Amino acid sequence: MIELGGIRWSLHPLLAVLMLLSVLTGYIGELLTLFVLVFVHELGHAAAAYAFGWKVLEIRLLPFGGVAELEEKPGAPAWEEAAIALAGPLQNVWMAGAAWALGAGGAMDAQLAAYLVQANLLLLTFNLLPIYPLDGGRLLRFACGLRMNYYGTLRFSAWAGMGCSLLMIGYALLPQLQRGGSGGVQANLLAVGLFLLAANWTYRKQIPFLFMRFLMTRGRSAKRRIQAGSRARPIVVTGRHPIWTTARLFLRDHYHLVYVMDDPGRIVGVLPEQRVVEGYLSGDRAVSDLLR
């Protein structure tokens, strides 16, 4: 592990093994080229994160790409996360375009240019798969957050990531299943699928912590929206509704007012979302208790 520009850079042990094998088998040039492409991809994430005031804690280089560990800016809008996620794949777009142009113009060996185009498109396609922590998984979370509450977005993206990882594992094992056990297994794809499945399983287990962190930062974002005069998005619940399920209805990029109604349908009180957050943190009760 090294520290460069305030960011920890680390190599996955399997990547180190692959580099050693590449030296022994004569494919070190191809691996180093892929390493540089991944490095530039991750630099795109880091530059965008710094531009928005996010902190990049660590970038881990894996056999199939890289993963940037970010410390989210408190109360940051979801579109910033989407922009940071897109900043990586955009590096592969311009590198593929540059390689194609140089190859077509004769300034680069045609075979090398074709390899660079193919490698960049492969990294671009892979990173846009809707599996967290890949860029596509982060973009899926952003897209879901446009319509779904934040808690539901976390759950959906975790389950979608696990489902897609299982499909990847199944595809890797397909030759073995199709040929009655005589076919080969796509070992690289299988290893990646297992890694992503484990990552999303861990991500799913962390949802309560992620949701608590979301609530803890609501105060700052709420203050900013109130000062800017933004519209509040209403949430309507009965007085018997639990506080914890009410808090789970919050959307990431909206400020909420909670309307509490009695059984005949009369409004008996209106709660700002900060009051609901305070009630959530102080213990499980009914929403009507917050009106007293």
Side-chain angles (χ1 to χ4, degrees), residues 60-237:
R60 295 187 297 275
L61 300 179
L62 308 171
F64 56 84
V67 174
E69 182 181 343
L70 307 175
E71 184 177 286
E72 183 178 319
K73 184 175 65 177
W79 68 265
E80 288 188 5
E81 182 180 7
I84 293 171
L86 280 172
L90 286 176
Q91 309 310 308
N92 298 118
V93 171
W94 77 257
M95 285 190 290
W100 177 84
L102 291 173
M108 179 183 289
D109 178 74
Q111 187 174 358
L112 175 60
Y115 173 75
L116 290 175
V117 170
Q118 183 180 18
N120 274 293
L121 292 180
L122 179 63
L123 286 172
L124 174 67
T125 302
F126 176 77
N127 276 283
L128 289 179
L129 292 175
I131 308 174
Y132 186 86
L134 301 180
D135 302 328
R138 298 179 186 275
L139 292 173
L140 173 66
R141 194 162 68 178
F142 166 74
C144 291
L146 297 176
R147 303 289 297 179
M148 298 172 58
N149 59 68
Y150 186 70
Y151 186 82
T153 295
L154 293 176
R155 284 180 54 84
F156 181 83
S157 59
W159 283 106
M162 287 191 289
C164 291
S165 299
L166 288 173
L167 289 175
M168 186 181 297
I169 293 171
Y171 185 78
L173 295 173
L174 191 60
Q176 182 77 7
L177 300 175
Q178 282 182 330
R179 301 172 186 175
S182 61
V185 174
Q186 301 182 59
N188 291 340
L189 191 61
L190 178 61
V192 171
L194 290 172
F195 175 86
L196 292 174
L197 179 62
N200 278 271
W201 179 264
T202 302
Y203 170 46
R204 187 184 70 84
K205 304 290 277 186
Q206 291 176 340
I207 286 177
F209 165 76
L210 296 173
F211 183 68
M212 182 65 73
R213 187 178 66 180
F214 162 74
L215 291 180
M216 295 292 289
T217 61
R218 291 294 288 184
R220 184 177 302 183
S221 58
K223 183 178 180 181
R224 184 178 67 248
R225 292 189 178 96
I226 292 172
Q227 290 176 342
S230 62
R231 294 180 178 179
R233 186 163 185 143
I235 293 176
V236 181
V237 296

Side-chain angles (χ1 to χ4, degrees), residues 40-71:
V40 175
H41 176 108
E42 296 304 324
L43 280 181
H45 289 309
Y50 274 121
F52 289 122
W54 291 41
K55 185 176 181 181
V56 183
L57 301 176
E58 181 180 355
I59 293 180
R60 295 187 297 275
L61 300 179
L62 308 171
F64 56 84
V67 174
E69 182 181 343
L70 307 175
E71 184 177 286

